[in-house]
Amino acid sequence: MLLGLAVVAVPLLLALLGPLFAGDPGPRAVSFTLGGGHWLGTDFVGRDVWQQVLQGGRTVVLTALAATALAYLVALPVGLAAAVSHARWLEELLMRPLDVLLAVPSLLLILLVASVFSPGAAGLALLVALVNVPDAARIVRAAAAEAAARPAVEALRVQGESWWRVAVGYVGRSALRTLAADAGVRLTGVLYLVSTAAFLGVGVAPDAADWAVMVDRNRTGLFIQPWAVVVPALLIVALTTGTNLLFDAALDKKGRRP
């Protein structure tokens, strides 16, 4: 747990609080520069790298969190309904269209839609959520299916309990551990997808202060000014790795309780 917190704390704090301390950008340097008041030098257009780092994480983090939350907001009711329902036609109606969507590569779908609509950060969050819904719904259904088949569920139905009480109060709670494990992996995947999309210019402006954009725009000068690429790349890696470590530690601790 402490290792996960230590790894994720730096990128998370920089992402959330960095813009408050970024300050005035000041004049741009003529080219890649080290020193001269620039802690990490300047980027390919003369902007201060440290200031770009302070400003560049919020979009990545907030977009990833929003996309993950939106994905589960749709996947949870769909997966639970498919697991709890006795009607085979309803399960087919809910799950088969998601299987078709699951067959399309996520990044390809995002690029295709982005080529038509040119989404901003909010649009990117919606796209990433959309491509995560099918897999998340299948995980929810699989995790809830075993609990939904227990005699206790039938007893709750006989007692006249509401769908919410049966599906969420009992079945959903029984599947909570599996869903928590999936949430850690999914958030990591969403961070990767958001960063990749931003790297390819989807959802952010080409000159935006964004960690993924910084990696893309400064990679040609990697051996001249490595900090403009290495620092944002390491922050993204630390964010994803730390997130997984935190979820794994939390689940392991819960699993060892007597």
Side-chain angles (χ1 to χ4, degrees), residues 212-236:
V213 174
M214 289 178 66
V215 174
D216 177 37
R217 295 297 178 260
N218 295 290
R219 57 192 168 87
T220 55
L222 176 62
F223 296 104
I224 302 173
Q225 216 295 50
W227 302 119
V229 176
V230 173
V231 172
L234 286 178
L235 288 171
I236 293 174

Side-chain angles (χ1 to χ4, degrees), residues 227-253:
W227 302 119
V229 176
V230 173
V231 172
L234 286 178
L235 288 171
I236 293 174
V237 171
L239 191 60
T240 55
T241 303
T243 299
N244 260 336
L245 288 173
L246 277 178
F247 273 88
D248 288 347
L251 288 170
D252 185 57
K253 184 177 179 180

Side-chain angles (χ1 to χ4, degrees), residues 111-157:
L111 292 176
L112 286 174
V113 175
S115 66
V116 178
F117 295 104
S118 300
L124 178 59
L126 288 173
L127 282 175
V128 174
L130 175 65
V131 299
N132 274 273
V133 164
D135 186 52
R138 288 169 63 89
I139 295 293
V140 172
R141 183 200 171 281
E146 187 273 333
R150 295 174 186 170
V153 173
E154 191 61 34
L156 289 172
R157 286 197 179 101

Side-chain angles (χ1 to χ4, degrees), residues 36-182:
H38 306 289
W39 294 7
L40 299 176
T42 56
D43 64 7
F44 75 112
V45 292
R47 295 176 300 187
D48 184 88
V49 171
W50 174 242
Q51 186 181 61
Q52 293 292 297
V53 167
L54 290 176
Q55 294 178 330
R58 181 172 290 184
T59 302
V60 174
V61 171
L62 294 183
T63 302
L65 290 175
T68 304
L70 287 172
Y72 278 115
L73 190 63
V74 177
L76 281 172
V78 170
L80 288 175
V84 174
S85 174
H86 284 309
R88 181 69 179 178
W89 65 268
L90 179 59
E91 182 179 351
E92 294 291 325
L93 181 65
L94 291 172
M95 302 305 296
R96 293 297 78 80
L98 297 182
D99 291 343
V100 174
L101 189 59
L102 189 62
V104 183
S106 301
L107 189 58
L108 176 60
L109 182 60
I110 290 175
L111 292 176
L112 286 174
V113 175
S115 66
V116 178
F117 295 104
S118 300
L124 178 59
L126 288 173
L127 282 175
V128 174
L130 175 65
V131 299
N132 274 273
V133 164
D135 186 52
R138 288 169 63 89
I139 295 293
V140 172
R141 183 200 171 281
E146 187 273 333
R150 295 174 186 170
V153 173
E154 191 61 34
L156 289 172
R157 286 197 179 101
V158 171
Q159 293 174 6
E161 297 288 350
S162 65
W163 183 90
W164 180 268
R165 175 74 175 84
V166 174
V168 180
Y170 181 77
V171 176
R173 289 183 62 185
S174 300
L176 194 58
R177 182 176 173 81
T178 301
L179 297 183
D182 177 67

Side-chain angles (χ1 to χ4, degrees), residues 4-57:
L5 284 173
V7 172
V8 82
V10 173
L12 194 59
L13 288 174
L14 283 175
L16 298 180
L17 302 179
L20 300 177
F21 302 97
D24 182 68
R28 296 187 180 184
V30 177
S31 60
F32 285 111
T33 303
L34 289 172
H38 306 289
W39 294 7
L40 299 176
T42 56
D43 64 7
F44 75 112
V45 292
R47 295 176 300 187
D48 184 88
V49 171
W50 174 242
Q51 186 181 61
Q52 293 292 297
V53 167
L54 290 176
Q55 294 178 330

